[in-house]
Amino acid sequence: MPTTCKLNPLAAGAIALLAGVAAPTVALAQDAAATTPPAVVITGSRIPRASLEGPSAVTVLTADDLEKQGFRNVFDALSNQTQNSGFTQGADYGNTFTPSANAISLRGLGPNHTLVLLNGRRLADFPIAYDGTVNFTNLANIPSSVVERVEILSGGASAVYGSDAIAGVVNIILKKQFDGLDVNLKAGATSRGGAGDKRVQITGGKSFDKLNTLFSLELLERDPLWSADRDFMASRTGVAPTSVMGRKNVSTGKYVDLGAACAAIGDLFGGSTVSYASKTGSYCASPKVSPTYWTTITKNSSQNLFGSANYELSPTTTLFAEALYGQNRSTNNTRGPSWTSRSLTDSYFWNQNTSAYEAWNRYISPEEMGGVDRYNRYWDDKASSISLGLRGAITGTTWNYEASYTASLYTSQDHRPRALANIDSFFLGPQLGVDKNGVAIFAPDPARLTKRLTPQEFDSITGASVSDDKSWTNTLSLTANGEAFTLPAGPVKLAAVAELGKQGFSNEPDARINQGYFNVATGSDVTAGTRKRYALGAEASIPVIETVDATLAGRYDRYNFAGRDDGKFTYNGGIEWRPLKQLLVRGTYATSFRAPDMNYIYKARGTGYYSSSTDYYRCAKAGQAIAGCEFANYSPGADYVQTGSKDLRSEKGRSTGLGIVWSPSADLDISLDYWNIKISDLVTNLDADQLLRDEAACRIGGDLSSPTCADAIARITRFPDNALNRPGEIKSILVNPINAAATSVDGMDVAGKYVFRTRDYGNFIAKANYSKTLNKHSRQFSGDPLKDDLADLTNYDWRDKLNASLTWNTGKWSHTLFLQRYGKTPNAAGEAFLTPTTLVNASVVYRLNDRATVSVALNNLFNQVKADSSAGWPYYPVGNYSPVGRQGWIELNYHFGG
């Protein structure tokens, strides 16, 4: 029997215009504002909600989930999802390039391989690169009060959304309508002290005939968590204490005895300063220096405002506007004020009084400068986004459209305390010239070194640099979707998209750095750049037969940057087979890409130092274990030199998925999905710690010629072993981006939900999600052997994660128990795996009346803090686990109006 097709004139025109190119028009599962909503919206919801089915698995988090499972905000909810298996540095990390921002890493592929959308639209990148290398979207500024749901699509989706969607897509969907006014008050504390927080949310909305409005204001305050707030990391034990005051004869390598000076400052650093006798002599030291100047959780004050309006111009056309503005100040402290003589040159001088080459050092205490907060570093961030447009239905057809303009801006101002250029003369007096070797000559008074500073003296030798960072993006978008023609099994639906965008960024360091105002190396240049992008795409949903549906999508993106173009066509296909009404079998194949990070492309030559470093080679040479090695985790760390590259190519990705969903009733559904993601031409900016590990393994093993070893050894410059000062120490580490690496990862996701309903005792809802990475392999260069990343003890990604919850709703009460099991990760020393750990959250919500609810939540119910002393202080797995312990909140919500 011949197949009959009915082609609408509008569909024929769209097909002729967009033949061969494909991409959907709306973000994951957003409701179209047209009169006839699309019959199929890909959200990953389960059968029997047939209108929400899709070939790819999508996890949906509702506003109710955020409240009852103990999540503090949107980022907290996303970071705790099982798909988020990657190790990331954020506000709870301590030392990081981006302590005022938070990011996730789906499938352990890095923050830059997850696309984050707000209502289906892109936001400006955080203006400072993650880990100093890659661009990403900050998740810290989304007010949870207006979040309707969050959807997480796993796998490649560039054929739908363009660049960045390699590991997956996160779409944060905000509420579109609200009636009345909600006031929400929340306050919390920790049982061990520190890190308390409080929040006020005011959300309101009203409809005026054809106008619908909504707004939300959120005010947040969070106290910092200092290392001193936790007994187990308030002091460094088992290693030599940190030098507070020292004077060394560089020629002999021996310390000059300071006499009674140490006793005179014994009250500094909380009374912990003593004279410490080492193999090379005695100096004043304290085991509390690093813990004193260390916040494991930043202090934060933020204010976020969201507003939206929809005006019905006609029964088929709506004008819409959305605006988001957030500002926050983040404060941390990860390194106190220290001084080493002539630190910008050779770190020693000729002492005319003793006729010897000497090196002096001093660590200034909180008692001297007027409190530890005096040396805090803080960031003032402002983020804004505005969207304007029209959406509606084309009269006389099944087609809907949306035309919009989106602009997003992010600024960050970094206030960093620094020593001034006069600090050498403060401790050493005036320079008297140089000797025949070019070494500076001083005739210092030892009392300058051993004296206790006053706050006024401290102010005279320190200041603060101010850098300004900015990123922005503008996008024009036109989308349309509707029925094209009819096949025997049903209508074929099409969606088309056209986009035009431009984005840019700038990093402007304080001009006084290059003017020699601070005691810091010069050479901090402005980094800035822009790029344009164009995209055209389409998608088709095809009912093949009654039990089989297929989707096809394709998209072409073209980027223009740094005087050249880079274009990429990506495509995907999906299949849904329903052999039974309650059973769905699905599969996908997708290609994806990521345009080179702008920070990688435009990065000017930059110099700096890492907050801390471990010299694995010197530890190995000395025969010292990392936990007790004197060269481990020293601060400040090694100097680095970083450059960019305008010749980088786009990364290429491929992903496949195969899954099955069984939903015999509305109260039960179970799914099992297998996924596989591969990336080639991966841009990598080699991690300094990994370089140091590779260098040590290569030198100790005698391998100087393999690609990885040759590269690592060439990048690390050391002082000669016979140098007068700092013999054998790291001089600098060279890092720059290259298209060299490849990685592949595959695994499985299991999810289930069961609702048990009773007549007398309410309803019980059980949910579980489990993700396990089955294989992960990578190679740094094409000539390197394939590395098993799951067996790699320097890979701190989770191998598997489990979330399970049980909610009991009865009458006015709702009780939730939320369990999280984290699989094994390596210990800090990279010598063995830590055992899995399970944490439990609990919450109770009580509805006082139709307008008011009160709730109590406890996170980490059993007050567990994971211990790890393998690499010494701070004695817990930084980044993988939190040192906070039990946290509790009380929350009150009251609704005014309708």
Side-chain angles (χ1 to χ4, degrees):
M1 181 168 115
T3 300
T4 58
C5 298
K6 237 200 246 174
L7 188 62
N8 295 331
L10 183 62
I15 294 171
L17 179 65
L18 301 172
V21 189
T25 64
V26 292
L28 313 171
Q30 289 190 76
D31 298 328
T35 53
T36 305
V40 177
V41 181
I42 302 174
T43 66
S45 296
R46 315 297 187 208
I47 300 171
R49 296 178 295 275
S51 63
L52 298 179
E53 296 166 1
S56 300
V58 177
T59 299
V60 179
L61 294 172
T62 66
D64 196 48
D65 293 328
L66 267 64
E67 176 188 5
K68 293 182 178 179
Q69 295 179 7
F71 300 130
R72 293 169 294 176
N73 46 46
V74 173
F75 164 73
D76 194 32
L78 288 169
S79 66
N80 281 285
Q81 295 309 298
T82 59
Q83 303 96 320
N84 183 49
S85 59
F87 176 91
T88 56
Q89 303 173 7
D92 297 353
Y93 184 75
N95 270 333
T96 172
F97 286 85
T98 52
S100 63
N102 287 310
I104 62 172
S105 175
L106 296 182
R107 309 306 187 192
L109 293 174
N112 56 329
H113 293 112
T114 298
L115 176 62
V116 177
L117 304 171
L118 181 69
N119 280 342
R121 304 180 183 95
R122 290 176 181 259
L123 295 168
D125 291 332
F126 190 71
I128 305 167
Y130 173 84
D131 205 21
T133 57
V134 299
N135 301 116
F136 72 103
T137 303
N138 182 20
L139 289 163
N141 289 47
I142 310 297
S144 59
S145 55
V146 289
V147 172
E148 180 178 297
R149 64 187 185 276
V150 180
E151 298 175 349
I152 308 168
L153 170 66
S154 298
S158 289
V160 178
Y161 302 109
S163 177
D164 308 340
I166 290 181
V169 180
V170 171
N171 190 20
I172 302 165
I173 301 170
L174 305 183
K175 296 173 182 176
K176 298 178 178 63
Q177 192 169 350
F178 197 88
D179 185 21
L181 182 72
D182 268 13
V183 176
N184 181 281
L185 306 175
K186 185 175 182 178
T190 66
S191 61
R192 301 185 184 211
D197 58 65
K198 48 187 176 290
R199 183 190 74 189
V200 176
Q201 292 177 332
I202 302 174
T203 304
K206 189 172 179 60
S207 295
F208 306 90
D209 191 22
K210 296 181 179 182
L211 176 65
N212 179 52
T213 61
L214 182 150
F215 80 93
S216 181
L217 173 67
E218 181 179 71
L219 308 176
L220 294 160
E221 296 287 338
R222 182 181 66 192
D223 299 328
L225 180 69
W226 294 83
S227 291
D229 292 330
R230 295 293 177 267
D231 292 340
F232 68 87
M233 59 175 172
S235 178
R236 299 184 66 153
T237 60
V239 294
T242 302
S243 175
V244 173
M245 184 187 298
R247 179 180 173 186
K248 179 185 282 189
N249 184 313
V250 175
S251 300
T252 64
K254 301 291 186 180
Y255 282 97
V256 178
D257 189 85
L258 296 175
C262 297
I265 61 170
D267 62 313
L268 301 185
F269 290 100
S272 64
T273 304
V274 297
S275 178
Y276 177 76
S278 70
K279 295 182 294 183
T280 55
S282 62
Y283 54 87
C284 306
S286 166
K288 292 189 175 183
V289 173
S290 295
T292 296
Y293 293 113
W294 189 278
T295 49
T296 62
I297 292 180
T298 60
K299 179 180 180 180
N300 184 266
S301 175
S302 66
Q303 302 83 40
N304 302 305
L305 178 65
F306 173 77
S308 70
N310 294 272
Y311 182 76
E312 186 181 298
L313 294 174
S314 72
T316 59
T317 305
T318 299
L319 176 67
F320 67 89
E322 298 171 355
L324 175 68
Y325 176 78
Q327 62 180 28
N328 70 282
R329 171 171 290 189
S330 300
T331 306
N332 82 344
N333 193 321
T334 56
R335 180 173 177 260
S338 64
W339 168 78
T340 299
S341 56
R342 304 290 294 167
S343 60
L344 300 185
T345 54
D346 36 32
S347 299
Y348 62 95
F349 62 95
W350 176 257
N351 191 331
Q352 185 171 276
N353 298 331
T354 62
S355 298
Y357 289 116
E358 294 188 11
W360 290 14
N361 72 276
R362 187 75 156 78
Y363 223 120
I364 301 169
S365 69
E367 291 88 347
E368 295 172 277
M369 63 184 185
V372 69
D373 292 343
R374 171 64 182 79
Y375 215 66
N376 282 349
R377 179 181 178 184
Y378 68 91
W379 292 257
D380 286 327
D381 295 349
K382 296 180 181 179
S384 58
S385 177
I386 185 169
S387 296
L388 304 169
L390 286 169
R391 66 166 68 99
I394 300 175
T395 305
T397 75
T398 62
W399 282 70
N400 308 307
Y401 71 91
E402 179 177 295
S404 66
Y405 170 75
T406 300
S408 181
L409 173 68
Y410 208 123
T411 63
S412 180
Q413 191 172 75
D414 176 7
H415 300 255
R416 180 186 304 196
R418 296 184 186 273
L420 299 179
N422 65 347
I423 194 168
D424 275 340
S425 60
F426 178 85
F427 285 106
L428 299 176
Q431 183 176 336
L432 305 177
V434 296
D435 69 2
K436 62 181 180 179
N437 298 316
V439 178
I441 301 172
F442 292 87
D445 180 357
R448 288 178 176 265
L449 176 68
T450 58
K451 69 176 294 188
R452 180 193 301 267
L453 269 64
T454 66
Q456 292 73 29
E457 289 173 322
F458 176 78
D459 289 343
S460 73
I461 57 174
T462 58
S465 64
V466 181
S467 65
D468 290 291
D469 306 296
K470 178 174 70 174
S471 68
W472 52 269
T473 183
N474 300 324
T475 304
L476 279 170
S477 176
L478 175 62
T479 64
N481 64 84
E483 295 182 4
F485 52 87
T486 302
L487 295 175
V492 174
K493 298 173 183 178
L494 293 182
V497 60
E499 288 182 358
L500 171 64
K502 186 175 182 180
Q503 65 184 123
F505 83 108
S506 62
N507 299 138
E508 298 184 18
D510 194 318
R512 295 175 296 172
I513 293 176
N514 290 340
Q515 296 166 2
Y517 183 78
F518 300 103
N519 188 53
V520 63
T522 59
S524 295
D525 299 325
V526 174
T527 299
T530 63
R531 70 182 180 191
K532 297 178 181 178
R533 64 181 180 89
Y534 318 88
L536 188 66
E539 182 190 24
S541 175
I542 306 167
V544 181
I545 59 176
E546 184 179 356
T547 59
V548 177
D549 291 323
T551 57
L552 295 173
R555 175 172 167 140
Y556 181 75
D557 288 82
R558 190 165 189 82
Y559 281 79
N560 177 275
F561 57 87
R564 67 186 184 91
D565 294 323
D566 189 9
K568 189 68 178 173
F569 175 74
T570 53
Y571 60 91
N572 69 28
I575 196 79
E576 303 165 65
W577 175 41
R578 298 172 183 79
L580 301 172
K581 183 179 178 181
Q582 302 86 359
L583 186 66
L584 167 65
V585 180
R586 60 189 177 197
T588 60
Y589 176 83
T591 61
S592 54
F593 84 105
R594 174 170 173 77
D597 286 281
M598 296 181 69
N599 184 73
Y600 276 146
I601 297 169
Y602 292 105
K603 177 69 177 179
R605 184 184 186 276
T607 60
Y609 61 87
Y610 297 104
S611 53
S612 63
S613 299
T614 295
D615 194 335
Y616 298 96
Y617 177 53
R618 295 183 74 199
C619 289
K621 281 182 64 178
Q624 299 178 15
I626 299 299
C629 178
E630 59 183 307
F631 313 117
N633 200 28
Y634 65 89
S635 179
D639 293 338
Y640 67 81
V641 177
Q642 186 177 31
T643 59
S645 172
K646 296 183 179 180
D647 298 322
L648 294 173
R649 304 181 303 276
S650 293
E651 300 174 347
K652 298 186 288 287
R654 289 183 294 133
S655 64
T656 55
L658 181 64
I660 185 170
V661 182
W662 180 55
S663 184
S665 72
D667 292 336
L668 174 64
D669 59 75
I670 300 171
S671 66
L672 171 64
D673 287 278
Y674 168 81
W675 47 267
N676 183 302
I677 303 172
K678 297 179 180 179
I679 308 176
S680 58
D681 273 345
L682 186 66
V683 178
T684 179
N685 201 358
L686 304 181
D687 178 75
D689 187 72
Q690 187 61 50
L691 280 173
L692 292 170
R693 291 177 185 268
D694 289 343
E695 183 221 18
C698 295
R699 290 187 184 275
I700 298 300
D703 178 4
L704 306 181
S705 59
S706 69
T708 292
C709 288
D711 181 76
I713 292 171
R715 290 176 179 274
I716 297 172
T717 304
R718 292 182 175 273
F719 289 97
D721 289 339
N722 60 354
L724 186 61
N725 191 41
R726 303 179 66 188
E729 292 186 24
I730 300 167
K731 187 175 183 179
S732 66
I733 302 174
L734 173 64
V735 289
N736 63 277
I738 53 176
N739 284 101
T743 188
S744 64
V745 58
D746 70 288
M748 66 173 185
D749 296 332
V750 182
K753 175 185 174 183
Y754 177 63
V755 180
F756 178 66
R757 306 176 192 274
T758 71
R759 186 176 62 182
D760 299 323
Y761 301 103
N763 300 330
F764 296 85
I765 305 170
K767 297 180 182 179
N769 295 84
Y770 176 72
S771 294
K772 181 176 179 61
T773 301
L774 300 174
N775 301 281
K776 189 176 185 184
H777 296 93
S778 65
R779 54 167 51 97
Q780 187 169 291
F781 299 103
S782 58
D784 289 341
L786 200 62
K787 184 172 70 173
D788 184 350
D789 292 334
L790 296 186
D792 180 11
L793 290 172
T794 64
N795 172 24
Y796 291 92
D797 294 344
W798 305 108
R799 274 60 176 174
D800 67 299
K801 290 172 72 174
L802 168 68
N803 288 348
S805 66
L806 178 63
T807 298
W808 176 29
N809 296 321
T810 176
K812 296 182 177 181
W813 294 88
S814 179
H815 315 74
T816 298
L817 199 65
F818 181 62
L819 176 150
Q820 297 172 288
R821 181 189 182 276
Y822 297 91
K824 65 178 184 180
T825 55
N827 62 17
E831 298 170 341
F833 284 101
L834 299 172
T835 57
T837 297
T838 300
L839 302 177
V840 178
N841 301 342
S843 69
V844 177
V845 180
Y846 178 69
R847 179 167 295 279
L848 297 170
N849 52 48
D850 290 341
R851 295 183 178 273
T853 60
V854 63
S855 62
V856 176
L858 287 176
N859 282 9
N860 195 352
L861 189 61
F862 300 107
N863 201 19
Q864 298 183 73
V865 173
K866 189 76 171 179
D868 180 11
S869 59
S870 62
W873 185 86
Y875 313 119
Y876 78 96
V878 179
N880 285 116
Y881 290 95
S882 168
V884 170
R886 184 188 297 116
Q887 292 178 281
W889 292 272
I890 184 167
E891 182 175 357
L892 174 66
N893 192 85
Y894 192 87
H895 180 78
F896 298 88

